[in-house]
Amino acid sequence: ITSIEAFADYQRGEAWTWEHQALLHARGVAGDAGLRQRFELLRVELLRENVRRDTLREQVRSMRERMRRELAKGGAGEFDLKQAAGGIADIEFLAQYWALKWARDFPPVAMFADTIRQLESVASADLVPQAEIDLLTAAYRAYRTRLHHRSLDQEQALVAASEFTLERAAVTRIWNATFGAVD
């Protein structure tokens, strides 16, 4: 437990990029309505004014590459829906990167907690072409649907590498155009 002032000081001076990515998703859901409102105003201010945009691209890219190396499961002939290159986490990191990159100039991109609306907001502001956002949202929905079904069947997030080849190629192309080639 901390005060909102201490939280603000930490976010302004010491927060890492991944903490700002998490702040995109943070919402007050219980407690005093006034405190929740103060937190929301502070959250938006922090995302607009305190993201280190000079290192943002490299920080997001290197963090995601590390996650791929350390978290991706499966082997030859398998695709990890969540962690493999071209998968769910790549789409989430693209949405978060764009939201953080443009929150200062286009505050609505930092208003939404979910990936789909984050993506749609950057398209609405003409920051990323609508056609690319359509590819990303279609892939995200397809991956999530498959992941939820596998989860309900108590199965891992792995599918045959022959599945989602077009979606993976589109996500990877957009990722590479934004961050450079995947390791």
Side-chain angles (χ1 to χ4, degrees):
I1 297 176
T2 187
S3 70
I4 196 163
E5 292 80 14
F7 173 77
D9 289 343
Y10 174 81
Q11 288 290 322
R12 287 183 182 118
E14 299 179 44
W16 296 34
T17 296
W18 68 265
E19 292 174 292
H20 288 142
Q21 287 177 268
L23 196 56
L24 284 166
H25 300 284
R27 297 294 182 273
V29 296
D32 179 73
L35 181 61
R36 289 194 321 265
Q37 183 178 18
R38 283 180 57 207
F39 173 77
E40 182 57 21
L41 292 171
L42 176 62
R43 187 187 73 78
V44 173
E45 173 204 317
L46 292 167
L47 293 172
R48 289 187 67 201
E49 303 302 327
N50 297 100
V51 172
R52 291 175 198 88
R53 289 174 178 86
D54 58 330
T55 59
L56 179 65
R57 182 177 174 273
E58 178 56 30
Q59 291 290 314
V60 172
R61 183 180 63 79
S62 65
M63 187 179 340
R64 178 64 191 116
E65 288 173 355
R66 180 178 174 190
M67 287 175 62
R68 267 193 220 110
R69 286 190 306 270
E70 295 178 8
L71 300 176
K73 295 178 176 64
E78 295 178 309
F79 172 56
D80 182 335
L81 290 162
K82 180 75 175 165
Q83 294 297 339
I88 290 170
D90 280 5
I91 298 168
E92 292 169 343
F93 270 62
L94 281 162
Q96 293 163 12
Y97 169 70
W98 289 327
L100 293 173
K101 178 180 177 180
W102 290 310
R104 181 185 309 141
D105 298 322
F106 302 95
V109 302
M111 297 304 296
F112 300 107
D114 62 284
T115 299
I116 297 291
R117 288 188 300 169
Q118 286 172 351
L119 290 169
E120 290 172 348
S121 71
V122 297
S124 295
D126 287 328
L127 301 170
V128 177
Q130 184 67 54
E132 289 190 0
I133 297 304
D134 291 345
L135 289 170
L136 292 171
T137 57
Y140 191 76
R141 285 183 173 116
Y143 293 160
R144 281 284 180 195
T145 298
R146 187 78 157 97
L147 183 63
H148 293 313
H149 289 150
R150 294 191 64 76
S151 179
L152 289 170
D153 291 336
Q154 298 181 341
E155 296 176 330
Q156 289 188 331
L158 302 173
V159 297
S162 59
E163 291 188 53
F164 301 111
T165 56
L166 295 176
E167 292 88 347
R168 288 182 7 229
V171 172
T172 299
R173 178 185 56 74
I174 296 166
W175 176 272
N176 289 343
T178 304
F179 292 108
V182 174
D183 283 350

PDB file of all heavy atoms in Angstrom, residues 130-148:
ATOM      1  N   GLN A 130      -5.295   1.779 -41.274  1.00  0.00           N
ATOM      2  CA  GLN A 130      -6.431   0.946 -40.879  1.00  0.00           C
ATOM      3  C   GLN A 130      -6.262  -0.489 -41.358  1.00  0.00           C
ATOM      4  O   GLN A 130      -6.616  -1.430 -40.647  1.00  0.00           O
ATOM      5  CB  GLN A 130      -7.736   1.536 -41.423  1.00  0.00           C
ATOM      6  CG  GLN A 130      -8.976   0.787 -40.980  1.00  0.00           C
ATOM      7  CD  GLN A 130      -9.237   0.909 -39.497  1.00  0.00           C
ATOM      8  OE1 GLN A 130      -9.311   2.024 -38.975  1.00  0.00           O
ATOM      9  NE2 GLN A 130      -9.383  -0.205 -38.796  1.00  0.00           N
ATOM     10  N   ALA A 131      -5.711  -0.685 -42.548  1.00  0.00           N
ATOM     11  CA  ALA A 131      -5.533  -2.050 -43.076  1.00  0.00           C
ATOM     12  C   ALA A 131      -4.629  -2.880 -42.169  1.00  0.00           C
ATOM     13  O   ALA A 131      -4.878  -4.074 -41.959  1.00  0.00           O
ATOM     14  CB  ALA A 131      -4.973  -1.996 -44.491  1.00  0.00           C
ATOM     15  N   GLU A 132      -3.591  -2.271 -41.609  1.00  0.00           N
ATOM     16  CA  GLU A 132      -2.710  -2.999 -40.700  1.00  0.00           C
ATOM     17  C   GLU A 132      -3.421  -3.315 -39.389  1.00  0.00           C
ATOM     18  O   GLU A 132      -3.271  -4.409 -38.841  1.00  0.00           O
ATOM     19  CB  GLU A 132      -1.421  -2.211 -40.446  1.00  0.00           C
ATOM     20  CG  GLU A 132      -0.529  -2.178 -41.655  1.00  0.00           C
ATOM     21  CD  GLU A 132       0.854  -1.630 -41.375  1.00  0.00           C
ATOM     22  OE1 GLU A 132       1.148  -1.256 -40.212  1.00  0.00           O
ATOM     23  OE2 GLU A 132       1.649  -1.584 -42.322  1.00  0.00           O
ATOM     24  N   ILE A 133      -4.186  -2.365 -38.898  1.00  0.00           N
ATOM     25  CA  ILE A 133      -4.946  -2.591 -37.665  1.00  0.00           C
ATOM     26  C   ILE A 133      -5.974  -3.697 -37.880  1.00  0.00           C
ATOM     27  O   ILE A 133      -6.169  -4.549 -37.011  1.00  0.00           O
ATOM     28  CB  ILE A 133      -5.604  -1.286 -37.185  1.00  0.00           C
ATOM     29  CG1 ILE A 133      -4.535  -0.247 -36.842  1.00  0.00           C
ATOM     30  CG2 ILE A 133      -6.548  -1.540 -36.015  1.00  0.00           C
ATOM     31  CD1 ILE A 133      -3.497  -0.682 -35.820  1.00  0.00           C
ATOM     32  N   ASP A 134      -6.608  -3.720 -39.047  1.00  0.00           N
ATOM     33  CA  ASP A 134      -7.571  -4.782 -39.347  1.00  0.00           C
ATOM     34  C   ASP A 134      -6.895  -6.153 -39.328  1.00  0.00           C
ATOM     35  O   ASP A 134      -7.462  -7.117 -38.790  1.00  0.00           O
ATOM     36  CB  ASP A 134      -8.234  -4.538 -40.705  1.00  0.00           C
ATOM     37  CG  ASP A 134      -9.158  -3.331 -40.712  1.00  0.00           C
ATOM     38  OD1 ASP A 134      -9.529  -2.844 -39.616  1.00  0.00           O
ATOM     39  OD2 ASP A 134      -9.498  -2.872 -41.819  1.00  0.00           O
ATOM     40  N   LEU A 135      -5.698  -6.255 -39.894  1.00  0.00           N
ATOM     41  CA  LEU A 135      -4.956  -7.525 -39.867  1.00  0.00           C
ATOM     42  C   LEU A 135      -4.624  -7.932 -38.435  1.00  0.00           C
ATOM     43  O   LEU A 135      -4.793  -9.095 -38.055  1.00  0.00           O
ATOM     44  CB  LEU A 135      -3.661  -7.405 -40.675  1.00  0.00           C
ATOM     45  CG  LEU A 135      -3.795  -7.321 -42.182  1.00  0.00           C
ATOM     46  CD1 LEU A 135      -2.459  -6.950 -42.824  1.00  0.00           C
ATOM     47  CD2 LEU A 135      -4.289  -8.649 -42.737  1.00  0.00           C
ATOM     48  N   LEU A 136      -4.147  -6.969 -37.653  1.00  0.00           N
ATOM     49  CA  LEU A 136      -3.774  -7.269 -36.269  1.00  0.00           C
ATOM     50  C   LEU A 136      -4.979  -7.664 -35.424  1.00  0.00           C
ATOM     51  O   LEU A 136      -4.905  -8.624 -34.643  1.00  0.00           O
ATOM     52  CB  LEU A 136      -3.059  -6.072 -35.638  1.00  0.00           C
ATOM     53  CG  LEU A 136      -1.673  -5.753 -36.196  1.00  0.00           C
ATOM     54  CD1 LEU A 136      -1.171  -4.421 -35.641  1.00  0.00           C
ATOM     55  CD2 LEU A 136      -0.687  -6.871 -35.905  1.00  0.00           C
ATOM     56  N   THR A 137      -6.084  -6.956 -35.559  1.00  0.00           N
ATOM     57  CA  THR A 137      -7.255  -7.294 -34.738  1.00  0.00           C
ATOM     58  C   THR A 137      -7.858  -8.629 -35.157  1.00  0.00           C
ATOM     59  O   THR A 137      -8.292  -9.402 -34.298  1.00  0.00           O
ATOM     60  CB  THR A 137      -8.320  -6.180 -34.774  1.00  0.00           C
ATOM     61  OG1 THR A 137      -8.705  -5.918 -36.114  1.00  0.00           O
ATOM     62  CG2 THR A 137      -7.817  -4.910 -34.124  1.00  0.00           C
ATOM     63  N   ALA A 138      -7.862  -8.919 -36.450  1.00  0.00           N
ATOM     64  CA  ALA A 138      -8.379 -10.223 -36.899  1.00  0.00           C
ATOM     65  C   ALA A 138      -7.505 -11.354 -36.359  1.00  0.00           C
ATOM     66  O   ALA A 138      -8.017 -12.370 -35.868  1.00  0.00           O
ATOM     67  CB  ALA A 138      -8.453 -10.270 -38.422  1.00  0.00           C
ATOM     68  N   ALA A 139      -6.188 -11.188 -36.430  1.00  0.00           N
ATOM     69  CA  ALA A 139      -5.278 -12.206 -35.902  1.00  0.00           C
ATOM     70  C   ALA A 139      -5.455 -12.350 -34.394  1.00  0.00           C
ATOM     71  O   ALA A 139      -5.525 -13.470 -33.871  1.00  0.00           O
ATOM     72  CB  ALA A 139      -3.829 -11.852 -36.241  1.00  0.00           C
ATOM     73  N   TYR A 140      -5.553 -11.238 -33.700  1.00  0.00           N
ATOM     74  CA  TYR A 140      -5.702 -11.257 -32.243  1.00  0.00           C
ATOM     75  C   TYR A 140      -6.970 -12.007 -31.839  1.00  0.00           C
ATOM     76  O   TYR A 140      -6.936 -12.851 -30.936  1.00  0.00           O
ATOM     77  CB  TYR A 140      -5.720  -9.818 -31.719  1.00  0.00           C
ATOM     78  CG  TYR A 140      -5.607  -9.703 -30.229  1.00  0.00           C
ATOM     79  CD1 TYR A 140      -4.392  -9.884 -29.582  1.00  0.00           C
ATOM     80  CD2 TYR A 140      -6.725  -9.395 -29.448  1.00  0.00           C
ATOM     81  CE1 TYR A 140      -4.281  -9.761 -28.207  1.00  0.00           C
ATOM     82  CE2 TYR A 140      -6.615  -9.267 -28.074  1.00  0.00           C
ATOM     83  CZ  TYR A 140      -5.395  -9.453 -27.466  1.00  0.00           C
ATOM     84  OH  TYR A 140      -5.294  -9.342 -26.098  1.00  0.00           O
ATOM     85  N   ARG A 141      -8.064 -11.709 -32.509  1.00  0.00           N
ATOM     86  CA  ARG A 141      -9.323 -12.395 -32.192  1.00  0.00           C
ATOM     87  C   ARG A 141      -9.234 -13.892 -32.504  1.00  0.00           C
ATOM     88  O   ARG A 141      -9.715 -14.719 -31.714  1.00  0.00           O
ATOM     89  CB  ARG A 141     -10.472 -11.750 -32.962  1.00  0.00           C
ATOM     90  CG  ARG A 141     -10.889 -10.419 -32.390  1.00  0.00           C
ATOM     91  CD  ARG A 141     -12.096  -9.830 -33.136  1.00  0.00           C
ATOM     92  NE  ARG A 141     -12.561  -8.640 -32.459  1.00  0.00           N
ATOM     93  CZ  ARG A 141     -12.545  -7.420 -32.989  1.00  0.00           C
ATOM     94  NH1 ARG A 141     -12.096  -7.232 -34.213  1.00  0.00           N
ATOM     95  NH2 ARG A 141     -12.984  -6.393 -32.293  1.00  0.00           N
ATOM     96  N   ALA A 142      -8.635 -14.230 -33.623  1.00  0.00           N
ATOM     97  CA  ALA A 142      -8.504 -15.652 -33.989  1.00  0.00           C
ATOM     98  C   ALA A 142      -7.621 -16.384 -32.977  1.00  0.00           C
ATOM     99  O   ALA A 142      -7.969 -17.489 -32.522  1.00  0.00           O
ATOM    100  CB  ALA A 142      -7.935 -15.779 -35.399  1.00  0.00           C
ATOM    101  N   TYR A 143      -6.499 -15.790 -32.632  1.00  0.00           N
ATOM    102  CA  TYR A 143      -5.605 -16.410 -31.647  1.00  0.00           C
ATOM    103  C   TYR A 143      -6.301 -16.566 -30.299  1.00  0.00           C
ATOM    104  O   TYR A 143      -6.220 -17.610 -29.658  1.00  0.00           O
ATOM    105  CB  TYR A 143      -4.353 -15.554 -31.419  1.00  0.00           C
ATOM    106  CG  TYR A 143      -3.388 -15.433 -32.562  1.00  0.00           C
ATOM    107  CD1 TYR A 143      -2.482 -14.374 -32.584  1.00  0.00           C
ATOM    108  CD2 TYR A 143      -3.326 -16.345 -33.610  1.00  0.00           C
ATOM    109  CE1 TYR A 143      -1.553 -14.228 -33.598  1.00  0.00           C
ATOM    110  CE2 TYR A 143      -2.410 -16.205 -34.634  1.00  0.00           C
ATOM    111  CZ  TYR A 143      -1.520 -15.141 -34.617  1.00  0.00           C
ATOM    112  OH  TYR A 143      -0.599 -14.992 -35.619  1.00  0.00           O
ATOM    113  N   ARG A 144      -6.958 -15.509 -29.850  1.00  0.00           N
ATOM    114  CA  ARG A 144      -7.621 -15.544 -28.549  1.00  0.00           C
ATOM    115  C   ARG A 144      -8.734 -16.597 -28.511  1.00  0.00           C
ATOM    116  O   ARG A 144      -8.885 -17.305 -27.516  1.00  0.00           O
ATOM    117  CB  ARG A 144      -8.195 -14.163 -28.192  1.00  0.00           C
ATOM    118  CG  ARG A 144      -7.176 -13.209 -27.680  1.00  0.00           C
ATOM    119  CD  ARG A 144      -6.840 -13.589 -26.263  1.00  0.00           C
ATOM    120  NE  ARG A 144      -5.846 -12.686 -25.729  1.00  0.00           N
ATOM    121  CZ  ARG A 144      -5.166 -12.937 -24.638  1.00  0.00           C
ATOM    122  NH1 ARG A 144      -5.380 -14.034 -23.955  1.00  0.00           N
ATOM    123  NH2 ARG A 144      -4.273 -12.100 -24.203  1.00  0.00           N
ATOM    124  N   THR A 145      -9.496 -16.680 -29.575  1.00  0.00           N
ATOM    125  CA  THR A 145     -10.559 -17.689 -29.640  1.00  0.00           C
ATOM    126  C   THR A 145      -9.965 -19.086 -29.512  1.00  0.00           C
ATOM    127  O   THR A 145     -10.427 -19.907 -28.715  1.00  0.00           O
ATOM    128  CB  THR A 145     -11.353 -17.554 -30.956  1.00  0.00           C
ATOM    129  OG1 THR A 145     -11.969 -16.267 -30.978  1.00  0.00           O
ATOM    130  CG2 THR A 145     -12.408 -18.641 -31.078  1.00  0.00           C
ATOM    131  N   ARG A 146      -8.904 -19.338 -30.269  1.00  0.00           N
ATOM    132  CA  ARG A 146      -8.262 -20.655 -30.222  1.00  0.00           C
ATOM    133  C   ARG A 146      -7.655 -20.896 -28.844  1.00  0.00           C
ATOM    134  O   ARG A 146      -7.767 -21.988 -28.282  1.00  0.00           O
ATOM    135  CB  ARG A 146      -7.191 -20.726 -31.306  1.00  0.00           C
ATOM    136  CG  ARG A 146      -6.583 -22.088 -31.463  1.00  0.00           C
ATOM    137  CD  ARG A 146      -7.529 -23.003 -32.245  1.00  0.00           C
ATOM    138  NE  ARG A 146      -6.779 -24.076 -32.840  1.00  0.00           N
ATOM    139  CZ  ARG A 146      -6.671 -25.287 -32.303  1.00  0.00           C
ATOM    140  NH1 ARG A 146      -7.325 -25.580 -31.206  1.00  0.00           N
ATOM    141  NH2 ARG A 146      -5.952 -26.196 -32.879  1.00  0.00           N
ATOM    142  N   LEU A 147      -7.028 -19.893 -28.280  1.00  0.00           N
ATOM    143  CA  LEU A 147      -6.418 -20.018 -26.957  1.00  0.00           C
ATOM    144  C   LEU A 147      -7.461 -20.309 -25.882  1.00  0.00           C
ATOM    145  O   LEU A 147      -7.258 -21.172 -25.023  1.00  0.00           O
ATOM    146  CB  LEU A 147      -5.654 -18.733 -26.609  1.00  0.00           C
ATOM    147  CG  LEU A 147      -4.904 -18.716 -25.289  1.00  0.00           C
ATOM    148  CD1 LEU A 147      -3.795 -19.769 -25.271  1.00  0.00           C
ATOM    149  CD2 LEU A 147      -4.323 -17.331 -25.046  1.00  0.00           C
ATOM    150  N   HIS A 148      -8.603 -19.620 -25.943  1.00  0.00           N
ATOM    151  CA  HIS A 148      -9.667 -19.859 -24.961  1.00  0.00           C
ATOM    152  C   HIS A 148     -10.206 -21.281 -25.073  1.00  0.00           C
ATOM    153  O   HIS A 148     -10.439 -21.936 -24.046  1.00  0.00           O
ATOM    154  CB  HIS A 148     -10.793 -18.840 -25.107  1.00  0.00           C
ATOM    155  CG  HIS A 148     -10.387 -17.450 -24.762  1.00  0.00           C
ATOM    156  ND1 HIS A 148      -9.685 -17.123 -23.632  1.00  0.00           N
ATOM    157  CD2 HIS A 148     -10.588 -16.285 -25.410  1.00  0.00           C
ATOM    158  CE1 HIS A 148      -9.462 -15.829 -23.595  1.00  0.00           C
ATOM    159  NE2 HIS A 148      -9.998 -15.290 -24.660  1.00  0.00           N
TER     160      HIS A 148
END
